[in-house]
Amino acid sequence: MSLLDKLQTNVLTADGAMGTILYSYGIDYCYEELNVEKPEIIEQIHQDYIAAGADIIQTNTYSANANKLARYGLESHVTEFNKAAIQIAKRAAAPGGQFVLGTIGGLRGIRKSDATLDEIEKVVLEQANALLAGDPDGLLLETYYDFEELSSVVTTLKKITDVPLIAQVSMHDPGVLQNGLSLNDALHQLESLGADIVGVNCRLGPYHTIQAFDNVTLPEKAFLSAYPNASLLDVEDGRIVYESEAEYFGRAAVLLRDQGVRLIGGCCGTTPKHIKAAKTQLARLAPITEKVVHPEKPIVIHEAVPTKHQPLHEKAKTERTVIVELDTPRHLETEDYIKGANVLYDAGVDAITMADNSLASPRISNMAMGSIVKMKHNIRPLVHLTCRDHNLIGLQSHLMGLDALGIHDILAVTGDPTKVGDFPGATSVYDVSSMELLQLIKKLNEGISFSGKPLRKKANFSISAAFNPNVRVIDRAVQRLEKKIEAGADYFITQPVYTKEKIIDVYEATKHLDTPIFIGIMPLTNIRNAEFLHHEVPGIKLSEDVLERMRECGDDREKSTETGLEIAKELIDTAAQYFNGLYIITPFLRYDMTLELYEYIKEIDQKKKERELTHAETSY
């Protein structure tokens, strides 16, 4: 009898976690390599699950694909590891006739850039062909957070095999996928693509897994499956543990059956004890054939509160817009900083931008300082947000906090690595890149969490991205810029530019785009400052002419300042001709220099208006 025939009239019990048990043995290297190096360990775990009552076991091949094996330098062993795994499982199952599923794990997490669909198809086909050569009773696709990936894999496998496909999604929150799709819709879509069994596994414990099925209707042809974790995980003495009694898991299996699930196994933290408890509780229970699902009360996502100011990217499309960077202090004295911010904003700049620990050196939180200058001084802050310092939890929490504070102007950046800063031993997080961060912020603007669940209100962020034009081949930089526009960038802020020719190059390379660009101008303070920027700061290059002009100033502070401003004004003359957006970066809290440059910009614009008025009067 086939697996699908058996499910017509039975609720079946699958096995539990493989990795949890291997982890408990102290094994800390590639688990899939054990299929060849220590097959007896894997076979014994299969036998333990069979002894516990499992009707179905799965191969030890969750990460046995070229992409994941490459972490260990074992990418050439895909076929070997998969064929060995299915032989081990078949050998263990033979006496009792248990069904054997070949397991294929997902590649993507929250980042689509982890693997393209073409890459996924290639590695999946290689692994699937090796598993299919061993004649499994089905293929289990498990732990897929990215629905696009799972849909693609199901479609790919349906073209090469008729064996049953079990397609299981993973959720961050009960009942909703990270793309915002409801679990019910996702499972029915997988059924329509040809999956024979559809369900969930991993991330959630029994309670939330049961809750996730509350609004899932029974499929027309496919069967439902569930492989919950033993519980939510905990960490004790640096080791991951799952606190869950086996009997509790067994009772949960009955509740999953009541939701219409016919294939019930376990994921992280589950052991043969959990599976034995589930098997005992499910004994003699027939599957349900009808289920009443009450319509879920829709969650209303309210529109964003209108912003007080016109979005910077909208203003920059039609008129001069000037933003000024004034980085928060690296010490706890804030009087000069707040004084400088007030001077510049009172002069008329459109926003004060604040880096997020630039060059990986700690400064007063730009979120805190942005809130202070906004609430107490009515100054418009534009805060930078790096992927370096915040994991996904921190990024979303930070953004939700900014929305609550009414701070809507954001620069999303990857961030300099910690090795360049004050604490080179600190950890760089980089859960996502700036590209993915742009996409996630756009989700918040739709009222959707990073995890996919509704947030009840839309955020209203105007999102800028970084653009470094100081490269040899600017066309490649523009290609990346175009990808950031696709990801959600509303406008761009460049690194400081130090030649007129580069400004013109940027214009020529980007004039086909409607997305505003703010050209970065940072006045030099002395030759040491100039050489540091040129030789040590990534993404900044000075011309030899600029370096020579600063060298001629020697140690004369006044002359150095004068020359630095002179160079900056020359650059502004060019930039103002081609771009509405100008980005003045304040060096070392020298807001007096920035103020002089801003006043110079106003003079340029005033003279331009006078010329236009004179021309109009003459024409009239």
Side-chain angles (χ1 to χ4, degrees):
M1 182 179 293
S2 72
L3 172 61
L4 298 181
D5 289 338
K6 192 79 170 177
L7 285 169
Q8 291 284 352
T9 55
N10 293 272
V11 178
L12 299 183
T13 306
D15 56 4
M18 175 71 71
T20 296
I21 296 175
L22 295 174
Y23 180 74
S24 71
Y25 293 169
I27 297 172
D28 60 356
Y29 52 93
C30 177
Y31 292 161
E32 288 71 23
E33 189 178 12
L34 296 173
N35 296 333
V36 173
E37 297 298 324
K38 296 185 178 180
E40 67 280 2
I41 294 178
I42 305 303
E43 185 170 354
Q44 183 59 58
I45 294 173
H46 286 323
Q47 290 174 347
D48 289 344
Y49 277 120
I50 291 170
D55 304 301
I56 300 166
I57 60 173
Q58 60 178 296
T59 56
N60 177 40
T61 54
Y62 171 74
S63 296
N65 59 68
N67 185 297
K68 291 185 176 179
L69 291 177
R71 302 171 188 171
Y72 306 96
L74 297 171
E75 60 270 28
S76 62
H77 296 268
V78 172
T79 299
E80 179 186 11
F81 290 174
N82 281 277
K83 284 186 174 181
I86 201 159
Q87 289 171 3
I88 296 167
K90 286 271 190 177
R91 190 162 59 242
Q98 280 74 22
F99 296 107
V100 172
L101 302 178
T103 299
I104 298 175
L107 295 179
R108 289 177 175 175
I110 203 164
R111 305 170 56 150
K112 289 187 181 295
S113 62
D114 287 340
T116 66
L117 292 181
D118 287 342
E119 292 170 341
I120 291 167
E121 180 178 0
K122 180 180 178 181
V123 298
V124 165
L125 285 174
E126 182 183 22
Q127 184 180 7
N129 283 324
L131 290 169
L132 290 170
D135 192 28
D137 297 297
L139 294 178
L140 172 61
L141 312 176
E142 66 170 14
T143 320
Y144 282 78
Y145 285 96
D146 187 278
F147 189 70
E148 179 186 46
E149 177 189 9
L150 182 54
S151 299
S152 176
V153 171
V154 170
T155 301
T156 295
L157 293 178
K158 289 299 291 184
K159 295 176 182 178
I160 67 166
T161 183
D162 293 325
V163 304
L165 295 183
I166 301 94
Q168 295 189 151
V169 301
S170 294
M171 302 167 288
H172 300 286
D173 287 288
V176 63
L177 278 61
Q178 69 182 21
N179 66 350
L181 191 66
S182 73
L183 177 61
N184 185 58
D185 288 345
L187 298 186
H188 284 275
Q189 286 186 34
L190 291 171
E191 179 188 26
S192 69
L193 291 173
D196 302 284
I197 303 169
V198 294
V200 304
N201 79 287
C202 206
R203 177 65 182 89
L204 304 178
Y207 176 85
H208 290 112
T209 302
I210 295 165
Q211 184 183 45
F213 277 100
D214 277 345
N215 296 105
V216 173
T217 57
L218 297 179
E220 292 183 15
K221 297 180 180 179
F223 302 109
L224 294 178
S225 65
Y227 285 52
N229 286 352
S231 66
L232 300 180
L233 64 83
D234 195 6
V235 177
E236 291 182 0
D237 299 324
R239 292 184 64 81
I240 295 172
V241 296
Y242 291 85
E243 297 292 343
S244 174
E245 295 180 1
E247 291 306 312
Y248 170 76
F249 192 86
R251 295 193 299 272
V254 174
L255 297 178
L256 284 169
R257 172 263 182 189
D258 294 344
Q259 292 283 2
V261 180
R262 298 197 185 196
L263 173 57
I264 300 172
C267 204
C268 302
T270 56
T271 66
K273 290 182 179 179
H274 295 84
I275 300 308
K276 182 177 181 180
K279 181 69 172 181
T280 300
Q281 292 284 346
L282 292 170
R284 294 181 295 279
L285 287 179
I288 68 167
T289 57
E290 294 182 356
K291 178 183 177 183
V292 177
V293 174
H294 299 288
E296 188 175 7
K297 183 179 180 180
I299 297 176
V300 177
I301 298 179
H302 298 283
E303 291 298 318
V305 176
T307 58
K308 177 181 177 182
H309 303 281
Q310 181 184 19
L312 292 169
H313 63 278
E314 291 183 5
K315 182 178 181 182
K317 288 181 179 181
T318 59
E319 60 183 291
R320 175 74 64 220
T321 310
V322 181
I323 58 178
V324 168
E325 180 168 320
L326 193 67
D327 286 345
T328 59
R330 297 177 64 174
H331 47 71
L332 296 177
E333 294 178 354
T334 61
E335 289 184 5
D336 284 346
Y337 180 86
I338 292 174
K339 178 182 177 182
N342 273 301
V343 167
L344 292 168
Y345 201 69
D346 288 345
V349 303
D350 291 282
I352 301 294
T353 86
M354 305 173 188
D356 190 8
N357 301 323
S358 57
L359 295 179
S361 297
R363 296 175 178 272
I364 291 178
S365 160
N366 61 4
M367 182 178 182
M369 189 58 73
S371 176
I372 290 170
V373 299
K374 177 181 181 293
M375 302 297 186
K376 293 186 177 181
H377 303 275
N378 201 31
I379 293 172
R380 182 179 186 176
L382 189 165
V383 301
H384 304 194
L385 181 59
T386 72
C387 304
R388 177 198 61 228
D389 296 344
H390 315 273
N391 63 12
L392 280 171
I393 301 167
L395 285 171
Q396 177 162 323
S397 174
H398 200 85
L399 287 161
M400 292 170 73
L402 290 170
D403 179 78
L405 290 167
I407 298 175
H408 304 291
D409 299 300
I410 305 290
L411 170 64
V413 291
T414 300
D416 305 304
T418 57
K419 289 183 179 180
V420 307
D422 291 353
F423 299 102
T427 301
S428 294
V429 181
Y430 299 133
D431 275 358
V432 292
S433 69
S434 59
M435 197 82 71
E436 285 114 7
L437 180 55
L438 289 168
Q439 296 169 334
L440 293 172
I441 298 174
K442 281 297 182 183
K443 286 182 69 172
L444 296 187
N445 279 356
E446 294 301 318
I448 303 297
S449 163
F450 293 179
S451 67
K453 71 178 180 181
L455 293 174
R456 302 188 181 183
K457 184 178 82 71
K458 295 179 180 180
N460 202 2
F461 293 116
S462 174
I463 315 164
S464 58
F467 172 40
N468 178 20
N470 299 309
V471 293
R472 291 182 180 178
V473 184
I474 196 167
D475 288 345
R476 293 180 183 174
V478 173
Q479 288 173 4
R480 180 167 175 78
L481 179 149
E482 290 171 337
K483 290 180 180 178
K484 288 186 176 182
I485 294 174
E486 292 177 11
D490 295 311
Y491 62 105
F492 291 92
I493 297 175
T494 79
Q495 289 275 36
V497 179
Y498 284 97
T499 70
K500 300 175 186 178
E501 293 76 17
K502 180 60 70 176
I503 293 171
I504 296 171
D505 286 346
V506 172
Y507 171 75
E508 293 295 336
T510 63
K511 62 184 179 181
H512 62 289
L513 301 174
D514 187 46
T515 306
I517 296 175
F518 285 73
I519 295 295
I521 306 290
M522 181 166 69
L524 301 168
T525 56
N526 53 49
I527 182 58
R528 291 184 298 278
N529 167 232
E531 290 189 331
F532 170 72
L533 292 172
H534 180 70
H535 293 291
E536 299 193 38
V537 178
I540 299 179
K541 289 296 177 186
L542 280 62
S543 69
E544 186 55 40
D545 173 65
V546 167
L547 289 169
E548 184 57 34
R549 289 169 69 178
M550 295 305 297
R551 287 192 193 100
E552 291 175 356
C553 299
D555 294 328
D556 188 328
R557 187 175 187 272
E558 185 176 337
K559 186 176 180 181
S560 294
T561 297
E562 182 181 329
T563 302
L565 287 169
E566 183 180 280
I567 292 168
K569 289 176 181 178
E570 292 169 3
L571 296 169
I572 287 171
D573 285 337
T574 301
Q577 294 179 48
Y578 295 96
F579 298 93
N580 281 335
L582 295 175
Y583 168 50
I584 310 301
I585 304 163
T586 306
F588 310 113
L589 205 58
R590 292 285 304 276
Y591 57 84
D592 58 313
M593 297 180 74
T594 302
L595 180 61
E596 182 169 336
L597 294 180
Y598 179 64
E599 294 295 343
Y600 183 73
I601 294 169
K602 290 199 295 185
E603 289 176 13
I604 291 175
D605 291 342
Q606 182 59 38
K607 290 177 181 178
K608 181 181 178 182
K609 288 179 181 178
E610 290 172 357
R611 287 195 302 270
E612 291 173 347
L613 181 60
T614 300
H615 177 73
E617 291 175 346
T618 303
S619 299
Y620 180 77

